[in-house]
Structures are given as structure tokens and as C-alpha cells.
Amino acid sequence: MRYNKGMEKSDLTAASATENQAEIAALKARVSELEVLVKYYEEQFRISKHRQYEASSEKSEYDLAQLSIFNEAELFADINVAEPELVEVEKHYRKRTRLTTDKLPENLPVEIVEHDLPECERICPECGGPLHVMGRDSWDELVIVPAQVKVRKHVRLVYTCRECEKDEYGVPIVKAAVSEPVIKGSFASPEAIAHIMTQKFVMGSPLYRQEKELQQNGIQLSRQTMSNWLIRATEDWLELVYEALHEMLCNHGVLHADETTLQVLREPGKTAQSKSYMWLYRTSGDAVQPIVLYDYQPDRRSKRPAAFLKDFKGYLHTDGYEGYHSLRSEITVVGCWAHVRRKFDESLKALPERDRESSNALRGKRYCDHLFELEREFSSLAPEERYVKRLAQSKPVLEEFFEWAVSLNAAPKTGIGIAVHYALSQRKYLEHYLLDGRLEISNNRAERSIKPFVVDRKNFLFANTPREAKASAVMFSLIETAKENGLNPFEYLVYILKNAPNWNIRDNPDALNLLMPDSARRSICATATSRTPA
């Protein structure tokens, strides 16, 4: 500050004090900002540490089953009632047995190996008389034989007429009827293609591993040939079944959707490191015949689900991704309370242990736990009864939760702030599960269905081309749909690849319907029954 002769000393002192107060206020504001930032970084550090070193399960000692703000036993307990008298029970010991869930199917073939004494040893060691069979000891062993590989040689008999052969022309030639191959001009069989598919998409064994395994058995079958078989069989036959399942899927009133990333190396206009996406759509718990379909797309834009669901009208369970919120008005998006609970759970784990018990993060998590507990109670009810129960019991809890969330005014760059903001921004969609008793409180059904692809992706890592990625989506769809319907994926794929080339499924809808999971199950079971020896 420049000193002017006309300025009084008191004026200078007041001006300096004002400047100092402004500087102090600015520094205090800066310190407050830095404290919030440090707290945020500490929370992120604890979350990162938890993800790296601790279990990924969201269950904890703070769950509703262990300790709850909605504990009715504590709420309605009568302190005037005397405690029951305790009676000491005499100690006793119980023989421990190993509990196991291992179980062998009853229809496995049984090989009987009988161990007998040689005839010369069937003599009593005491009196020298003949021995007779008193009883039999028996035990079972599970025998596993590695995959057997063989060549199926087709020999077709060709007939002609001896009498007509005497003439110079007009000799008829009659050939025995044969089934159409799955790939013309190839030595691929339905069983071989189905085996390669299930090894890759069920067992997570990439083609290069399968190539090495076959080489150990003396079979030189390159991964390029196997890849060509899978793509050709998918494009010729499996895509037709996929499209029929897609049409059936869109006729349902309740669906689930989710998406995950996929790397495609040779995608036009994109680098090999860029992200593509595998979208998932599936039926809900009310479906008699579950359907799980994957859809490969080069990006995550909202037009992708809009195109896939262009014929769908009803409820769609999703996570909080905004791309679903711009769908047509005929589609009602239903939010996921599991994601809300996860946000509060992460916020809780980001806090020091000493602060968790009285935290807002724990309170928010317990609100979610209470809603899930009510859903478990309603799980056995019919949709109509569940709808009434939700309005009577779940809706008040839900409304109380949002009133509490609004009253917090939590700082946005904190764990609790992120959780509260997510819940409030999704409120419209989170309340929609109360609209219909068929709806579910979460989108966990879709997350469980997309997990097998995520696990297998760790093994095959990427797709080489968009064509391969699209074929992978079709194959994975039929495999997961088979599993959801209680079908063996290998048997279902063999059933399709054997019959599709011979049933004219492109022009005959009735024949195509016979390849749907429900029809296939009956046919496969009937075939297995006929082969079982009496």
C-alpha cells in the first residue's frame, strides 16, 4: 500500500485490517477446499485398497440380517418381561461326517468289475472244504476318459439296373439318401463344431489352446480352420435360430439389459485399442422359456438398444446408464436398487472403521437392505399379491429413504455425496418397480447373465474382426439360453447343427420352431430315453 501524506494513521490501520481479514477468509476457504479434497482422496485410497486386497462380496457385518435400524425385535421388546430361565444341558458328542454336494447322475453307464478268488483258492483254510459266496462288498469309482476323437466315414451305396445297362443310354442311377452336412465340402461334423464352441464359450478355452490339445493327440487342426468352421456354421444355421429367439424375446412384457466392453482388433475406422461393446438382453423371472441374447455393437450409443428393441413394448430393467433413458415411450425403464446399495456400500468402506457405525453411508445401506429383505418375503407371492404388498410395505420405506437423502445436502465430491446424488438422479426409474408385480427390485438377473462372457473374455481377450465378434455373440446367446433352459449346451448345439441343414428352416417356420429350446429339450430327452437300455 502506498502512503499518502493526507491519509490518517487510523485509516491505514483499518485498511490493513480489512485486507488481512480478506486474506484470512480466503485462506480459510482454501483450507476447507483442501480438507474436502484430502478426505475424498482418503476415501478413494481406502476403496482402492479394499478392491485390491479384500473380498469383492458386498456382504458385511453391517448388513440388515446382523444389525438393523429396522430391528423389530428391539423396537417392540418389553423390558418388564422376565428373561427365560436357562437350563444347562449335558454335553454330548456327535460323530462328524463330511458334508458334500457331489452327486453322480443316475443315468451314467455302469461298468461292473467283479473281483473273485481263483477256483483253486476256494478251499477252507481250516477244514479243506469248498467255500461258498457269503456276500459282496461294493464301492463306486468315477471314471473320466478324455475326449475321444474318431473319423466318421460315410459310405453311400449307388444302385443301377443290369437290364438297362445292356442299352447304350438311359441307365438309371439310384443313390441311398443321406443327410445334408453342416458345412458342404468340409470334414467338420456337428459334434466337432459344437465341441469347439462349448470349449471356447463354456470352458473358456481359446482356439489356440484347443489347437495345442489336438496336436497332443496327433491331430493337426489349425485354429484358423476351427474359426472358419464356427463362423460358417453360425452364419448358415445358428443366426436363423438367434433371429427367431430375438422375435420371441421382444414379445415378452418384461426384459433386462446390460452391456460390457469387448476389444475388436480389426474394426474399420477404429484403433485396435479402442472399445467395442457386447450388449445383453434377456427375459425376466416370469418367462416360461428363458431367453438370453447378446448383441455386438461397435459403440455404446443409445441407438443400439433402440434398434435391438424396436419391436419391444413393456418394462426394461437396466442400470443407471443414460443411453437407456432416451428409448421410446412404449418402453418403461426400471432402475436397479442393487446399484444404489453398492454406492452406499462403497461409501461405507471408504470411511475409517471408527466412523462407520454412526455414518449416513450405513443408514443409506440399511434402507436398501430393508427393501431387499421385503422382496425376499414377497418372492413366493403371485405378481398381483406382490404388487399390493409392495405398495403397503415397500413404498413407505422408499419414500422415507428419498426424504432422508434430500435432507442430507451431502458434498458432491465425497463417497456419501456420490451415493446420494446417484439415488436422487435415478429416483424416477428406481420407483418404477412398484408399478407391476412382475418387476424386480434390481437388474442382478442381467448382471449374472453377462458375467459368463466377462469371465471368458479374460481367456480369449479379444475378437479379431467384427464378423467374428458378431458370430461370438450368436454362439454365446444359444449357449447361455440352453443353460437357462436346463439343456446341455453341447447337446443343444449338436441338435441344431444336425437338423437345421435338413429341415429347410429358412422357408418353414414350423421347422424353425422345432429348434427352439423347449422343443429341443423334449426331442433330446426322448432320444436319450430310447437309447437307455431296459
Side-chain angles (χ1 to χ4, degrees):
M1 173 180 288
R2 297 182 63 183
Y3 176 73
N4 295 325
K5 291 183 178 181
M7 185 177 295
E8 296 292 336
K9 187 174 181 180
S10 60
D11 294 336
L12 290 174
T13 304
S16 299
T18 303
E19 286 187 358
N20 290 337
Q21 289 176 357
E23 289 180 4
I24 291 172
L27 289 174
K28 286 183 177 179
R30 181 57 179 163
V31 169
S32 298
E33 291 178 3
L34 292 176
E35 286 179 346
V36 172
L37 191 61
V38 169
K39 185 178 180 181
Y40 173 75
Y41 286 143
E42 287 178 344
E43 289 179 346
Q44 295 305 307
F45 174 74
R46 281 189 285 267
I47 291 176
S48 176
K49 188 176 179 181
H50 176 83
R51 290 173 178 169
Q52 186 174 5
Y53 297 109
E54 298 184 29
S56 60
S57 173
E58 296 175 7
K59 293 183 178 180
S60 70
E61 68 272 19
Y62 302 104
D63 286 353
L64 183 62
Q66 283 78 27
L67 184 64
S68 172
I69 57 174
F70 303 101
N71 194 326
E72 295 182 1
E74 294 181 5
L75 185 63
F76 298 108
D78 188 351
I79 61 175
N80 296 320
V81 177
E83 293 186 5
E85 183 180 353
L86 299 180
V87 179
E88 185 175 352
V89 180
E90 184 180 354
K91 287 184 178 180
H92 68 279
Y93 297 91
R94 178 179 298 171
K95 181 180 179 181
R96 292 185 176 271
T97 57
R98 184 173 66 91
L99 298 178
T100 178
T101 58
D102 301 337
K103 185 178 180 181
L104 301 179
E106 297 180 356
N107 59 348
L108 279 181
V110 178
E111 175 189 0
I112 298 178
V113 180
E114 193 171 79
H115 304 272
D116 199 356
L117 289 171
E119 190 172 352
C120 60
E121 296 181 11
R122 300 175 193 169
I123 300 173
C124 178
E126 297 294 334
C127 67
L131 297 177
H132 69 90
V133 177
M134 180 188 71
R136 287 177 171 82
D137 295 330
S138 66
W139 63 94
D140 296 334
E141 291 179 341
L142 176 63
V143 180
I144 300 177
V145 180
Q148 297 179 352
V149 182
K150 64 181 179 181
V151 174
R152 182 189 294 132
K153 182 181 288 292
H154 292 272
V155 179
R156 179 166 63 175
L157 299 183
V158 181
Y159 291 85
T160 187
C161 177
R162 291 292 186 187
E163 293 297 324
C164 293
E165 286 178 352
K166 297 175 182 179
D167 300 330
E168 295 181 357
Y169 56 89
V171 179
I173 297 176
V174 181
K175 298 181 180 181
V178 294
S179 299
E180 289 291 328
V182 60
I183 301 177
K184 290 186 177 181
S186 169
F187 58 87
S189 69
E191 292 86 353
I193 296 174
H195 174 75
I196 296 170
M197 286 183 184
T198 52
Q199 284 297 300
K200 180 175 182 180
F201 294 113
V202 177
M203 305 308 297
S205 178
L207 296 184
Y208 75 89
R209 292 184 191 168
Q210 298 189 49
E211 180 184 36
K212 290 182 179 180
E213 184 179 2
L214 290 171
Q215 286 175 355
Q216 291 177 355
N217 292 321
I219 300 170
Q220 302 299 321
L221 185 62
S222 70
R223 71 190 77 170
Q224 290 80 11
T225 298
M226 289 189 281
S227 178
N228 291 335
W229 284 1
L230 299 188
I231 294 175
R232 178 69 184 277
T234 299
E235 292 178 343
D236 286 352
W237 312 116
L238 301 188
E239 276 190 13
L240 298 171
V241 180
Y242 176 91
E243 292 301 329
L245 289 171
H246 183 193
E247 183 178 350
M248 293 173 60
L249 180 82
C250 291
N251 289 331
H252 284 77
V254 183
L255 298 181
H256 294 252
D258 201 0
E259 74 285 336
T260 188
T261 57
L262 172 67
Q263 185 179 5
V264 180
L265 299 183
R266 300 178 184 177
E267 192 160 34
K270 297 176 66 175
T271 63
Q273 294 76 23
S274 60
K275 291 181 180 179
S276 298
Y277 285 85
M278 191 68 79
W279 297 74
L280 167 83
Y281 307 91
R282 64 152 300 149
T283 53
S284 191
D286 65 325
V288 177
Q289 181 175 260
I291 299 173
V292 181
L293 298 184
Y294 293 81
D295 180 42
Y296 158 73
Q297 294 295 343
D299 53 53
R300 202 188 182 196
R301 295 159 68 182
S302 61
K303 68 178 184 179
R304 305 306 179 186
F308 192 91
L309 300 172
K310 61 184 179 65
D311 297 324
F312 170 68
K313 296 179 182 179
Y315 297 99
L316 180 66
H317 289 275
T318 71
D319 53 22
Y321 175 48
E322 293 182 358
Y324 297 110
H325 300 161
S326 59
L327 295 174
R328 306 183 336 270
S329 59
E330 293 90 349
I331 299 177
T332 302
V333 175
V334 183
C336 176
W337 277 93
H339 281 75
V340 178
R341 183 185 184 277
R342 193 170 301 151
K343 298 290 184 183
F344 282 104
D345 184 69
E346 289 179 353
S347 174
L348 181 65
K349 291 172 180 175
L351 296 173
E353 288 191 13
R354 64 178 181 274
D355 298 334
R356 295 179 182 178
E357 193 65 42
S358 58
S359 66
N360 286 320
L362 180 58
R363 184 174 180 87
K365 181 173 180 288
R366 286 178 176 167
Y367 272 114
C368 299
D369 286 344
H370 190 46
L371 290 173
F372 277 93
E373 183 65 27
L374 290 173
E375 286 303 304
R376 282 189 285 271
E377 294 178 10
F378 305 156
S379 60
S380 60
L381 302 178
E384 297 78 12
E385 296 177 283
R386 189 180 301 118
Y387 169 75
V388 174
K389 288 285 187 179
R390 282 174 176 170
L391 293 181
Q393 299 184 40
S394 301
K395 188 176 181 180
V397 178
L398 185 145
E399 291 175 344
E400 182 181 335
F401 165 77
F402 283 117
E403 289 177 5
W404 165 80
V406 171
S407 67
L408 286 182
N409 292 321
K413 289 189 176 180
T414 60
I416 185 64
I418 293 173
V420 169
H421 173 73
Y422 179 85
L424 294 177
S425 66
Q426 298 291 316
R427 178 173 183 173
K428 171 184 174 182
Y429 309 103
L430 293 169
E431 292 176 335
H432 280 166
Y433 88 98
L434 300 175
L435 297 177
D436 195 306
R438 297 173 299 167
L439 303 180
E440 299 179 6
I441 192 173
S442 73
N443 196 33
N444 286 346
R445 191 177 293 274
E447 292 195 358
R448 287 193 298 268
S449 291
I450 209 168
K451 187 175 181 180
F453 178 83
V454 175
V455 172
D456 279 359
R457 186 183 58 198
K458 295 179 180 178
N459 292 293
F460 60 73
L461 299 179
F462 53 80
N464 195 32
T465 64
R467 184 186 178 199
E468 182 179 329
K470 182 179 179 181
S472 298
V474 173
M475 288 182 275
F476 219 94
S477 297
L478 297 189
I479 286 172
E480 291 303 312
T481 297
K483 290 161 63 176
E484 286 284 326
N485 285 273
L487 282 166
N488 182 305
F490 172 78
E491 292 179 352
Y492 182 48
L493 291 172
V494 170
Y495 176 80
I496 294 174
L497 296 174
K498 273 188 175 181
N499 295 312
N502 298 281
W503 284 358
N504 189 26
I505 60 175
R506 286 185 175 84
D507 303 320
N508 188 352
D510 292 335
L512 185 58
N513 288 334
L514 293 176
L515 298 180
M516 297 299 105
D518 192 38
S519 300
R521 186 195 303 107
R522 291 193 295 267
S523 180
I524 292 172
C525 290
T527 302
T529 303
S530 64
R531 290 178 179 175
T532 303

